[in-house]
Short mmCIF file of all heavy atoms in Angstrom, two decimals:
data_model
loop_
_atom_site.label_atom_id
_atom_site.label_comp_id
_atom_site.label_asym_id
_atom_site.label_seq_id
_atom_site.Cartn_x
_atom_site.Cartn_y
_atom_site.Cartn_z
N THR A 254 -7.35 -13.61 6.64
CA THR A 254 -6.88 -13.67 8.02
C THR A 254 -7.46 -12.50 8.82
O THR A 254 -7.87 -12.66 9.98
CB THR A 254 -5.33 -13.62 8.06
OG1 THR A 254 -4.82 -14.73 7.31
CG2 THR A 254 -4.81 -13.68 9.48
N TRP A 255 -7.52 -11.35 8.19
CA TRP A 255 -8.08 -10.15 8.81
C TRP A 255 -9.58 -10.31 9.06
O TRP A 255 -10.06 -10.06 10.17
CB TRP A 255 -7.79 -8.98 7.88
CG TRP A 255 -8.28 -7.63 8.25
CD1 TRP A 255 -8.09 -6.96 9.43
CD2 TRP A 255 -9.01 -6.74 7.40
NE1 TRP A 255 -8.66 -5.72 9.37
CE2 TRP A 255 -9.21 -5.55 8.14
CE3 TRP A 255 -9.48 -6.81 6.10
CZ2 TRP A 255 -9.89 -4.44 7.59
CZ3 TRP A 255 -10.14 -5.73 5.56
CH2 TRP A 255 -10.35 -4.56 6.30
N LEU A 256 -10.31 -10.76 8.07
CA LEU A 256 -11.76 -10.92 8.21
C LEU A 256 -12.11 -11.99 9.24
O LEU A 256 -13.12 -11.89 9.94
CB LEU A 256 -12.38 -11.29 6.85
CG LEU A 256 -12.48 -10.16 5.83
CD1 LEU A 256 -12.76 -10.72 4.44
CD2 LEU A 256 -13.55 -9.15 6.22
N MET A 257 -11.26 -13.01 9.35
CA MET A 257 -11.51 -14.10 10.30
C MET A 257 -10.87 -13.84 11.66
O MET A 257 -10.72 -14.74 12.48
CB MET A 257 -11.01 -15.42 9.71
CG MET A 257 -11.68 -15.84 8.42
SD MET A 257 -13.48 -15.99 8.54
CE MET A 257 -13.64 -17.44 9.57
N LYS A 258 -10.47 -12.59 11.90
CA LYS A 258 -9.92 -12.15 13.20
C LYS A 258 -8.70 -12.97 13.62
O LYS A 258 -8.51 -13.30 14.79
CB LYS A 258 -10.99 -12.25 14.29
CG LYS A 258 -12.22 -11.40 14.05
CD LYS A 258 -13.20 -11.55 15.21
CE LYS A 258 -14.47 -10.76 14.97
NZ LYS A 258 -15.44 -10.91 16.10
N GLY A 259 -7.86 -13.30 12.65
CA GLY A 259 -6.63 -14.01 12.97
C GLY A 259 -6.80 -15.50 13.20
O GLY A 259 -5.89 -16.17 13.70
N GLN A 260 -7.96 -16.03 12.85
CA GLN A 260 -8.20 -17.46 13.03
C GLN A 260 -7.32 -18.26 12.06
O GLN A 260 -7.24 -17.95 10.87
CB GLN A 260 -9.68 -17.77 12.76
CG GLN A 260 -10.07 -19.20 13.04
CD GLN A 260 -11.56 -19.43 12.85
OE1 GLN A 260 -12.01 -20.58 12.80
NE2 GLN A 260 -12.35 -18.37 12.72
N ARG A 261 -6.68 -19.28 12.57
CA ARG A 261 -5.81 -20.12 11.74
C ARG A 261 -6.65 -21.13 10.97
O ARG A 261 -7.52 -21.77 11.53
CB ARG A 261 -4.83 -20.86 12.66
CG ARG A 261 -3.59 -21.40 11.98
CD ARG A 261 -2.54 -21.67 13.05
NE ARG A 261 -1.42 -22.45 12.53
CZ ARG A 261 -1.32 -23.77 12.64
NH1 ARG A 261 -2.26 -24.46 13.26
NH2 ARG A 261 -0.27 -24.39 12.16
N PRO A 262 -6.41 -21.28 9.66
CA PRO A 262 -7.18 -22.26 8.89
C PRO A 262 -6.92 -23.69 9.38
O PRO A 262 -5.90 -23.96 10.01
CB PRO A 262 -6.65 -22.08 7.46
CG PRO A 262 -5.97 -20.76 7.45
CD PRO A 262 -5.46 -20.54 8.83
N ILE A 263 -7.85 -24.56 9.05
CA ILE A 263 -7.64 -25.96 9.42
C ILE A 263 -7.02 -26.76 8.28
O ILE A 263 -6.40 -27.80 8.52
CB ILE A 263 -8.97 -26.63 9.86
CG1 ILE A 263 -10.02 -26.55 8.74
CG2 ILE A 263 -9.50 -25.98 11.13
CD1 ILE A 263 -11.31 -27.29 9.08
N ALA A 264 -7.14 -26.26 7.04
CA ALA A 264 -6.55 -26.97 5.90
C ALA A 264 -6.45 -26.05 4.69
O ALA A 264 -7.21 -25.07 4.58
CB ALA A 264 -7.36 -28.21 5.55
N VAL A 265 -5.53 -26.38 3.79
CA VAL A 265 -5.32 -25.61 2.55
C VAL A 265 -5.14 -26.60 1.40
O VAL A 265 -4.41 -27.59 1.51
CB VAL A 265 -4.07 -24.72 2.67
CG1 VAL A 265 -3.77 -24.05 1.32
CG2 VAL A 265 -4.25 -23.66 3.75
N THR A 266 -5.81 -26.31 0.29
CA THR A 266 -5.65 -27.09 -0.95
C THR A 266 -5.39 -26.12 -2.09
O THR A 266 -6.05 -25.07 -2.17
CB THR A 266 -6.91 -27.91 -1.25
OG1 THR A 266 -7.25 -28.71 -0.12
CG2 THR A 266 -6.70 -28.82 -2.46
N ALA A 267 -4.44 -26.43 -2.95
CA ALA A 267 -4.11 -25.49 -4.03
C ALA A 267 -3.76 -26.22 -5.32
O ALA A 267 -3.31 -27.37 -5.31
CB ALA A 267 -2.96 -24.59 -3.61
N ILE A 268 -3.98 -25.53 -6.42
CA ILE A 268 -3.52 -25.99 -7.73
C ILE A 268 -2.83 -24.83 -8.42
O ILE A 268 -3.14 -23.66 -8.17
CB ILE A 268 -4.68 -26.52 -8.61
CG1 ILE A 268 -5.75 -25.42 -8.83
CG2 ILE A 268 -5.29 -27.76 -8.02
CD1 ILE A 268 -6.81 -25.82 -9.84
N ALA A 269 -1.88 -25.14 -9.28
CA ALA A 269 -1.16 -24.11 -10.03
C ALA A 269 -1.16 -24.46 -11.51
O ALA A 269 -1.22 -25.63 -11.88
CB ALA A 269 0.27 -23.99 -9.52
N ARG A 270 -1.08 -23.45 -12.33
CA ARG A 270 -1.03 -23.62 -13.78
C ARG A 270 0.16 -22.84 -14.35
O ARG A 270 0.58 -21.82 -13.80
CB ARG A 270 -2.33 -23.12 -14.42
CG ARG A 270 -3.54 -23.99 -14.09
CD ARG A 270 -3.45 -25.33 -14.80
NE ARG A 270 -4.58 -26.20 -14.52
CZ ARG A 270 -4.60 -27.15 -13.59
NH1 ARG A 270 -3.53 -27.34 -12.84
NH2 ARG A 270 -5.67 -27.90 -13.42
N HIS A 271 0.68 -23.37 -15.45
CA HIS A 271 1.81 -22.75 -16.13
C HIS A 271 1.40 -22.49 -17.56
O HIS A 271 1.78 -23.23 -18.48
CB HIS A 271 3.02 -23.68 -16.05
CG HIS A 271 4.33 -22.96 -16.05
ND1 HIS A 271 5.53 -23.59 -15.82
CD2 HIS A 271 4.64 -21.66 -16.25
CE1 HIS A 271 6.52 -22.72 -15.89
NE2 HIS A 271 6.00 -21.54 -16.15
N TYR A 272 0.61 -21.45 -17.76
CA TYR A 272 0.05 -21.17 -19.08
C TYR A 272 1.08 -20.54 -20.03
O TYR A 272 0.95 -20.66 -21.24
CB TYR A 272 -1.15 -20.22 -18.95
CG TYR A 272 -2.34 -20.84 -18.25
CD1 TYR A 272 -2.87 -20.25 -17.11
CD2 TYR A 272 -2.94 -22.01 -18.71
CE1 TYR A 272 -3.97 -20.79 -16.45
CE2 TYR A 272 -4.03 -22.57 -18.07
CZ TYR A 272 -4.54 -21.95 -16.94
OH TYR A 272 -5.62 -22.50 -16.29
N LYS A 273 2.07 -19.85 -19.47
CA LYS A 273 3.03 -19.14 -20.32
C LYS A 273 4.48 -19.54 -19.99
O LYS A 273 5.27 -18.70 -19.52
CB LYS A 273 2.83 -17.62 -20.17
CG LYS A 273 1.48 -17.15 -20.68
CD LYS A 273 1.35 -15.63 -20.65
CE LYS A 273 0.96 -15.13 -19.28
NZ LYS A 273 0.53 -13.69 -19.29
N PRO A 274 4.83 -20.79 -20.20
CA PRO A 274 6.19 -21.23 -19.86
C PRO A 274 7.27 -20.52 -20.66
O PRO A 274 8.41 -20.41 -20.19
CB PRO A 274 6.16 -22.73 -20.18
CG PRO A 274 5.05 -22.91 -21.16
CD PRO A 274 4.03 -21.88 -20.79
N ASN A 275 6.94 -20.04 -21.84
CA ASN A 275 7.93 -19.32 -22.63
C ASN A 275 8.22 -17.93 -22.06
O ASN A 275 9.31 -17.38 -22.26
CB ASN A 275 7.46 -19.18 -24.08
CG ASN A 275 7.39 -20.51 -24.80
OD1 ASN A 275 8.12 -21.44 -24.46
ND2 ASN A 275 6.51 -20.62 -25.79
N VAL A 276 7.24 -17.38 -21.35
CA VAL A 276 7.42 -16.05 -20.75
C VAL A 276 7.95 -16.17 -19.32
O VAL A 276 8.85 -15.42 -18.92
CB VAL A 276 6.07 -15.27 -20.74
CG1 VAL A 276 6.26 -13.88 -20.14
CG2 VAL A 276 5.50 -15.18 -22.15
N TYR A 277 7.40 -17.13 -18.57
CA TYR A 277 7.80 -17.34 -17.18
C TYR A 277 8.24 -18.80 -17.00
O TYR A 277 7.50 -19.62 -16.46
CB TYR A 277 6.64 -17.00 -16.24
CG TYR A 277 6.07 -15.63 -16.48
CD1 TYR A 277 4.80 -15.44 -17.05
CD2 TYR A 277 6.82 -14.49 -16.18
CE1 TYR A 277 4.31 -14.18 -17.29
CE2 TYR A 277 6.33 -13.22 -16.42
CZ TYR A 277 5.07 -13.06 -16.98
OH TYR A 277 4.58 -11.81 -17.22
N PRO A 278 9.43 -19.14 -17.45
CA PRO A 278 9.85 -20.54 -17.46
C PRO A 278 10.09 -21.15 -16.08
O PRO A 278 9.99 -22.37 -15.92
CB PRO A 278 11.15 -20.52 -18.28
CG PRO A 278 11.65 -19.11 -18.16
CD PRO A 278 10.44 -18.25 -18.07
N LYS A 279 10.38 -20.33 -15.07
CA LYS A 279 10.79 -20.86 -13.77
C LYS A 279 9.66 -20.98 -12.75
O LYS A 279 9.80 -21.70 -11.76
CB LYS A 279 11.89 -19.98 -13.18
CG LYS A 279 13.16 -19.91 -14.00
CD LYS A 279 14.16 -19.00 -13.32
CE LYS A 279 15.45 -18.87 -14.12
NZ LYS A 279 16.41 -17.96 -13.45
N VAL A 280 8.56 -20.26 -12.97
CA VAL A 280 7.50 -20.21 -11.95
C VAL A 280 6.12 -20.32 -12.56
O VAL A 280 5.92 -20.02 -13.74
CB VAL A 280 7.58 -18.91 -11.12
CG1 VAL A 280 8.81 -18.89 -10.23
CG2 VAL A 280 7.54 -17.68 -12.03
N GLU A 281 5.16 -20.75 -11.72
CA GLU A 281 3.75 -20.80 -12.16
C GLU A 281 3.24 -19.39 -12.38
O GLU A 281 3.72 -18.43 -11.79
CB GLU A 281 2.91 -21.54 -11.11
CG GLU A 281 2.34 -20.69 -9.99
CD GLU A 281 3.37 -20.05 -9.09
OE1 GLU A 281 4.48 -20.62 -8.93
OE2 GLU A 281 3.08 -18.99 -8.52
N ASP A 282 2.25 -19.25 -13.27
CA ASP A 282 1.68 -17.93 -13.53
C ASP A 282 0.20 -17.86 -13.19
O ASP A 282 -0.47 -16.87 -13.50
CB ASP A 282 1.91 -17.52 -14.99
CG ASP A 282 1.62 -18.63 -15.98
OD1 ASP A 282 0.48 -19.11 -15.98
OD2 ASP A 282 2.53 -19.02 -16.74
N ASP A 283 -0.32 -18.89 -12.54
CA ASP A 283 -1.73 -18.88 -12.14
C ASP A 283 -1.90 -19.86 -10.98
O ASP A 283 -1.33 -20.96 -11.00
CB ASP A 283 -2.62 -19.30 -13.31
CG ASP A 283 -4.10 -19.11 -13.02
OD1 ASP A 283 -4.72 -20.03 -12.44
OD2 ASP A 283 -4.62 -18.04 -13.37
N ALA A 284 -2.65 -19.44 -9.96
CA ALA A 284 -2.85 -20.32 -8.80
C ALA A 284 -4.23 -20.12 -8.21
O ALA A 284 -4.77 -19.01 -8.21
CB ALA A 284 -1.78 -20.04 -7.73
N THR A 285 -4.80 -21.20 -7.71
CA THR A 285 -6.07 -21.17 -6.99
C THR A 285 -5.86 -21.85 -5.65
O THR A 285 -5.33 -22.97 -5.60
CB THR A 285 -7.18 -21.89 -7.77
OG1 THR A 285 -7.33 -21.26 -9.05
CG2 THR A 285 -8.50 -21.81 -7.02
N ILE A 286 -6.26 -21.17 -4.58
CA ILE A 286 -6.04 -21.69 -3.23
C ILE A 286 -7.36 -21.75 -2.49
O ILE A 286 -8.08 -20.75 -2.42
CB ILE A 286 -5.06 -20.78 -2.45
CG1 ILE A 286 -3.76 -20.58 -3.23
CG2 ILE A 286 -4.77 -21.36 -1.06
CD1 ILE A 286 -2.85 -19.49 -2.65
N LEU A 287 -7.70 -22.91 -1.95
CA LEU A 287 -8.89 -23.08 -1.11
C LEU A 287 -8.46 -23.16 0.35
O LEU A 287 -7.58 -23.96 0.69
CB LEU A 287 -9.65 -24.34 -1.50
CG LEU A 287 -10.29 -24.36 -2.89
CD1 LEU A 287 -10.94 -25.72 -3.13
CD2 LEU A 287 -11.30 -23.24 -3.05
#
Side-chain angles (χ1 to χ4, degrees):
T254 301
W255 179 52
L256 286 165
M257 299 303 290
K258 300 181 182 179
Q260 185 176 167
R261 199 161 168 264
I263 58 175
V265 173
T266 306
I268 59 172
R270 292 289 181 264
H271 209 171
Y272 293 123
K273 295 186 277 193
N275 293 333
V276 181
Y277 307 110
K279 298 179 181 179
V280 291
E281 88 296 332
D282 44 58
D283 189 273
T285 302
I286 306 170
L287 294 177

